[in-house]
Amino acid sequence: MKIGIVCYPTYGGSGVVATELGKGLAKKGHQVHFITYRAPVRLRSAFQENIFFHEVGNADYPLFEYPPYDTALASKLVDVVSYENLDILHVHYAIPHATVAYMAKKILLSKGRYVPVVTTLHGTDITLVGNNKEFAPVVEFGINKSDGVTAVSQNLKNQTNEYFDIKDDIKVIYNFIDFERFKPTDKNHFKKALAPDGEPILAHVSNFRKVKRVDDVVKIFHKIYKEKPCKLLLIGDGPERRNVEETCRKIGLCHEVRFLGKQDAVEEILNISDLFILPSENESFGLAALEAMACKVPVISTNVGGLPEINIHGETGFLSNVGDVEDMGNNALKILKDAETLERFKENALAQAKRFDIDVILPQYEAYYEHILETAVHKQKVEEA
Ligand code: GMT
């Protein structure tokens, strides 16, 4: 198949999933075309002969206070679909990609060319509009005009149906793990350097946005530290970092906390960690938690969104209400109480992550594309009518 993938090329979860999916599809022999404004982060070091990147230009002009990216992207899609003869367009994150793809589809149709569009909903493209009605009509329209729609968790599917009037069934296809990269690996020398007295290492990975409640990570860490000396590694960067640093200073624990910033080799850090902490206010899936579990790290998280679908309470970690740092701290101590308990949670975390192996999930996307292509001919007739 010749597949066009549209995504945000940044460190955000949707871009990561889109890139890993594209790489996986290419490995299986499909021709994959990424169409976005910059090479996606996880594509930069991965040269493959059947992966192509088409850069959407910055349509800047002195008149534009806001360069019209939507128009530039739609034009690029028309161009790439026509000249590369793509079979299907798969857009990740509804805003603005679903409606832009629909615009491109209509332009192509006016030239007698039909390309089906699959939209994958990732989370904030739905939950954000739940709080911000300014986007809602466009998002609903884009979803309803897609030939196929997938959501990364059952909870996200439910929320989408709750917020919008959705015509067709949304298919749940979970996010996945590439075990060639995220797997348990012995990094004891590295661990010893950071925790010389065998202290447990806690980790958190995010884009440091408010929704991640990174401040709570530090508060949970503080609660654990009072009972059991430990270390905290904070990976990622974003708008909340300054406030989080301030909290560490106030608590007086800066010497035990390391801000590592954005990291490419996250798996190396996960492999020296004993617990992963994700106290998000909202999380449609929680790919960061799954990546930790694939490296055999149990998870202390909130019980929101799709998190209960991956983190099994009392088995792979624990779930708590948003903001309940006391409960999250106590749960962490339950896991860290002795070596056997920790090992049991670690084993369970790894076993659960294996259910989301790319080899299990990727064929679901391929089957879905096939299904959409089969129904495309019928859809084309309806569109033309
Ligand atoms: O909010 C983020 O962390 C980024 C965002 C994105 O779309 O880039 O992540 C969302 O999609 C990820 C991949 O499907 C999910 O793992 C995250 O849970 C989801 N974030 C939220 O729902 C807040």
Side-chain angles (χ1 to χ4, degrees), residues 134-346:
E134 281 170 18
F135 291 122
V138 177
V139 172
E140 184 178 273
F141 178 83
I143 293 173
N144 280 329
K145 289 294 178 187
S146 299
D147 297 275
V149 180
T150 75
V152 298
S153 67
Q154 182 61 45
N155 177 272
L156 183 60
K157 172 179 172 169
N158 297 348
Q159 292 211 51
T160 309
N161 283 314
E162 196 180 304
Y163 292 145
F164 304 112
D165 182 12
I166 301 299
K167 306 277 179 250
D168 294 326
D169 188 40
I170 295 172
K171 170 111 181 123
V172 174
I173 302 184
Y174 284 111
N175 286 334
F176 52 84
I177 283 290
D178 182 354
F179 273 92
E180 273 182 28
R181 179 174 170 200
F182 291 94
K183 61 182 172 210
T185 315
D186 185 4
K187 295 272 170 207
N188 259 338
H189 57 291
F190 182 21
K191 189 168 186 165
K192 258 212 145 68
L194 288 175
D197 298 322
E199 304 94 323
I201 296 181
L202 280 52
H204 168 82
V205 181
S206 78
N207 46 24
F208 281 56
R209 283 187 288 148
K210 262 202 158 32
V211 68
K212 302 289 175 183
R213 297 182 68 104
V214 189
D215 237 20
D216 282 0
V217 176
V218 177
K219 290 176 189 157
I220 296 161
F221 173 67
H222 187 206
K223 160 100 191 147
I224 303 165
Y225 190 85
K226 282 191 265 182
E227 309 257 330
K228 199 175 182 75
C230 49
K231 308 278 179 188
L232 175 63
L233 304 179
L234 295 171
I235 301 116
D237 211 338
E240 285 301 299
R241 172 154 173 185
R242 190 72 197 84
N243 292 340
V244 178
E245 280 174 349
E246 204 50 52
T247 307
C248 288
R249 284 176 201 168
K250 269 195 213 136
I251 292 174
L253 275 181
C254 294
H255 57 295
E256 305 290 21
V257 180
R258 285 192 191 216
F259 286 84
L260 299 177
K262 288 179 185 165
Q263 293 281 333
D264 286 330
V266 179
E267 67 279 16
E268 301 212 349
I269 301 159
L270 292 173
N271 263 298
I272 61 159
S273 305
D274 296 291
L275 266 190
F276 188 79
I277 307 201
L278 194 64
S280 307
E281 193 169 312
N282 209 328
E283 203 71 70
S284 68
F285 183 84
L287 184 62
L290 186 63
E291 289 178 344
M293 287 159 71
C295 294
K296 223 180 159 188
V297 184
V299 175
I300 293 294
S301 75
T302 45
N303 53 12
V304 294
L307 284 172
E309 292 171 61
I310 51 169
N311 185 20
I312 310 302
H313 190 71
E315 276 184 35
T316 63
F318 286 101
L319 302 161
S320 305
N321 292 332
V322 174
D324 195 345
V325 292
E326 277 293 305
D327 193 50
M328 287 186 255
N330 285 332
N331 286 337
L333 286 165
K334 278 186 211 159
I335 298 178
L336 296 172
K337 76 172 186 222
D338 56 55
E340 293 82 64
T341 310
L342 177 59
E343 187 53 28
R344 178 162 45 83
F345 274 88
K346 282 181 170 224

Side-chain angles (χ1 to χ4, degrees), residues 19-31:
T19 311
E20 295 298 340
L21 174 64
K23 281 157 61 177
L25 289 165
K27 247 191 217 167
K28 292 186 87 174
H30 299 285
Q31 196 181 92

Side-chain angles (χ1 to χ4, degrees), residues 1 46 84 126 131 229 240 336 351 366:
M1 247 181 271
E84 301 291 351
I126 298 303
N131 302 323
E240 285 301 299
L336 296 172
E366 286 177 297

Side-chain angles (χ1 to χ4, degrees), residues 34 40 64 130 295 311 371:
F34 286 94
F64 303 143
C295 294
N311 185 20
H371 164 70

